[in-house]
């Protein structure tokens, strides 16, 4: 069997062959291809060399297809259709989409964003399922390894290949139960430090912003209790005279329970930019574009204070 070096084949020649076979006329094929008649004739000459066959043979009143052209005709049509399908963007219809989407998101962000995300997905993509996992210290690696579709987190720096966009700014507030003795009156720094605090220990995030700010002032607070997640801290704070300083988005959610008082911390804790991050491999995927737009819409709704 004759071996063909595919690197030397111009796909436009095969497009020209398709037109020549269908038209059986060089002039009409040239018009169909948007080229001159001499250019179409040259393409036919190259094709004859490539196939070692006349392809179009002289017949009564014009050309007829050679036996070889008749043989390749159905294969050529299938191949060109396959190439077109391969190059066309994969369609994505949320209404019929199935499968699972894996998102990296700390429990805090999951608590305030996911309910709104699911409300949108229920109407747009009811057959999609979600797996929400805490990113820990290896969130970026999970995106690089294709172990997750996207991540919502604090992402100050991202390596090459990781895309990100700003979702919203988060600020910290101090939360205590409504019956707490310190709930009335101004929360000064000395009063703040006299209270007993709950701290949520999140692996991989280092010291809490409050402790970093206090350290710059040469001060320390008493951490009475450390817990592994925000919901444990909120439920404990609702029943004990302990205070916690947490992101305002979760505080607003907890305050809806009418069990808490939210106060401005007596420290300059700044703002924290929450980001949506994903790998560049998914940047142009229609399915992933829909996912990112849906997450952004849910976060925008959350920051607007809508439930």
């Amino acid at each position: 069997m004759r071996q063909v070096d595919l690197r030397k084949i111009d796909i436009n020649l095969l497009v020209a062959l398709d037109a020549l076979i269908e038209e059986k006329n060089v002039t009409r094929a040239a018009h169909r291809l948007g080229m001159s008649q001499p250019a179409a004739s040259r393409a036919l000459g190259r094709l004859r060399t490539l196939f070692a066959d006349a392809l179009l043979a002289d017949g009564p009143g014009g050309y007829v297809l050679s036996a070889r052209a008749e043989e390749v005709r159905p294969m050529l049509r299938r191949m060109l259709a396959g190439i077109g399908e391969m190059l066309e963007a994969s369609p994505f219809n949320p209404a019929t989409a199935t499968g699972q989407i894996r998102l990296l998101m700390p429990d805090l962000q999951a608590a305030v964003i996911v309910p709104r995300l699911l409300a949108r997905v229920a109407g747009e993509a009811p057959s999609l399922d979600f797996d929400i996992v805490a990113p820990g210290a290896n969130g970026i690696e999970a995106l690089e390894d294709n172990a997750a579709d996207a991540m919502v987190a604090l992402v100050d720096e991202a390596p090459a290949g990781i895309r990100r966009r700003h979702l919203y700014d988060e600020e910290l507030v101090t939360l205590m139960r409504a019956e707490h003795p310190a709930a009335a009156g101004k929360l000064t720094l000395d009063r703040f430090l006299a209270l007993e605090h709950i701290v949520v220990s999140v692996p991989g995030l280092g010291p809490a912003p409050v402790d970093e700010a206090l350290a710059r002032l040469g001060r320390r607070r008493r951490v009475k209790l450390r817990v592994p997640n925000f919901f444990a801290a909120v439920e404990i704070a609702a029943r004990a005279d302990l205070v916690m300083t947490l992101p305002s988005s979760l505080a607003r959610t907890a305050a809806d329970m009418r069990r808490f008082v939210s106060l401005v911390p007596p420290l300059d804790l700044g703002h924290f930019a929450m980001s949506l991050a994903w790998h560049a491999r998914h940047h142009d995927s229609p399915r992933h574009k829909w996912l990112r737009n849906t997450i952004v819409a849910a976060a925008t709704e959350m920051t607007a204070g809508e439930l």
Side-chain angles (χ1 to χ4, degrees), residues 170-193:
E170 189 77 90
E171 60 182 12
L172 298 178
V173 297
T174 297
L175 202 69
M176 63 185 70
R177 68 187 186 96
E179 297 80 14
H180 195 292
K186 184 177 179 180
L187 187 62
T188 64
L189 180 58
D190 288 337
R191 195 175 185 192
F192 179 79
L193 295 178

Side-chain angles (χ1 to χ4, degrees), residues 223-237:
V223 177
K224 178 73 172 181
L225 179 66
R226 294 184 184 274
V227 293
N229 60 69
F230 284 98
F231 278 105
V234 167
E235 289 306 312
I236 293 169

